[in-house]
Amino acid sequence: MTSLDRRSVLRAAASAAAAGALVSGCDPHRDDDSGAVRSAGGPSPSGAGSSGAGHPPPAGARSARPPTRVPGLPVQIAHGPSNGRAVALTFHGRGDPRMAAALLAEAERAGARVTVLAIGDWLDEQPAMARRILDGGHELGNHTMHHRNICALAAAEAYAEITGCADRLRALTGTIGSWFRPSQAQRATDLVTGLARKAGYPHVLSYDVDSLDANDPGAPAVRRTVLDAVGPGSIVSLHLGHAGTVAALPPILDGLRRRGLRAVTTTELVT
């Protein structure tokens, strides 16, 4: 992205944030997907026993990390070590790819690395984003196939949501990704946690700081919400595809730096 392109995207993001533009989010208190499943091409869901080994990525693609396993940590992880100086900024992966690229570029300019939990049908629509995320040194994981309310689904449907996205990640990157995060829920039920482990994810990724950016309150509010709550070891929930989040990221990263905190991938945070 050229400097002119970057300025154009950031100006558009700031304008949209000020206008309160609404883009589909991941607020567990708001069912913005209305339970609808968009049709998607690509590989069919894998069967039982899917693993992170997978297949080699396409020629020229960068491999993702396999699922992170941390002995001694709970199955569901919401916070990292509080005796360090790191935090993890984690992003629901869906939205305008230009906004996503602009946000990733802002993180990279500040020396930050983030974790993107991608939605499978977004990867079908924007397969190049998987490569863009990994090539920036960021981490890629699974946020279900269609972003349905996974904790309300029957076991077979919930498992298909997990493995459908896992198959997309494997086809694009060679593994099923580092983490699984449930859609439309801060924490997974015992059923969903068990299904995620069956699909090959030793841990389920939660968070302790909700930026509330999916409600599009504007960049200043997103910045305040994050910086008022964040501390060493925090795992912060944010979203790609929201203009206010793009505009809020530079001041968030600056606020972390002023406190002596740095943004790292979730795997770096907990290992």
Side-chain angles (χ1 to χ4, degrees):
M1 180 178 291
T2 67
S3 297
L4 180 59
D5 290 338
R6 172 179 169 259
R7 287 196 297 270
S8 298
V9 170
L10 292 178
R11 279 198 300 270
S15 298
L22 180 63
V23 185
S24 177
C26 188
D27 183 351
H29 306 296
R30 186 183 75 188
D31 183 358
D32 52 22
D33 287 327
S34 305
V37 179
R38 288 186 278 171
S39 62
S44 60
S46 60
S50 297
S51 72
H55 306 289
R62 180 169 177 173
S63 294
R65 288 175 178 270
T68 299
R69 182 187 299 274
V70 187
L73 288 189
V75 172
Q76 197 148 197
I77 297 175
H79 200 281
S82 57
N83 59 352
R85 305 303 302 170
V87 302
L89 302 181
T90 66
F91 290 83
H92 158 124
R94 178 186 273 173
D96 185 335
R98 294 170 300 175
M99 277 193 192
L103 186 145
L104 295 172
E106 290 297 329
E108 291 152 18
R109 240 180 298 280
R113 297 294 178 262
V114 305
T115 300
V116 176
L117 292 313
I119 296 171
D121 60 13
W122 184 65
L123 292 175
D124 282 344
E125 296 166 2
Q126 305 293 340
M129 285 306 305
R131 174 80 180 269
R132 171 64 186 87
I133 291 162
L134 295 175
D135 284 351
H138 309 290
E139 187 168 47
L140 188 59
N142 178 335
H143 196 37
T144 75
M145 186 64 212
H146 300 101
H147 198 257
R148 301 173 69 191
N149 183 357
I150 193 167
C151 293
L153 297 178
E157 292 178 284
Y159 190 56
E161 283 292 307
I162 298 169
T163 57
C165 185
D167 283 343
R168 271 58 175 184
L169 288 165
R170 184 189 292 109
L172 291 169
T173 72
T175 82
I176 63 173
S178 301
W179 299 95
F180 167 73
R181 171 172 285 170
S183 49
Q184 297 194 38
Q186 182 171 355
R187 294 184 60 83
T189 60
D190 290 344
L191 171 63
V192 172
T193 298
L195 294 173
R197 297 189 74 174
K198 179 181 177 183
Y201 299 96
H203 302 283
V204 171
L205 184 58
S206 183
Y207 51 89
D208 65 297
V209 177
D210 187 350
S211 70
L212 302 176
D213 63 339
N215 297 322
D216 293 301
V222 174
R223 174 187 59 79
R224 285 194 303 271
T225 299
V226 172
L227 293 180
D228 285 352
V230 76
S234 285
I235 298 174
V236 184
S237 172
L238 294 143
H239 294 72
L240 301 182
H242 286 252
T245 308
V246 179
L249 185 62
I252 287 172
L253 293 173
D254 185 59
L256 294 176
R257 180 186 59 79
R258 291 173 184 273
R259 299 181 191 186
L261 298 173
R262 58 196 180 92
V264 301
T265 66
T266 307
T267 296
E268 290 176 284
L269 179 68
V270 300
T271 56

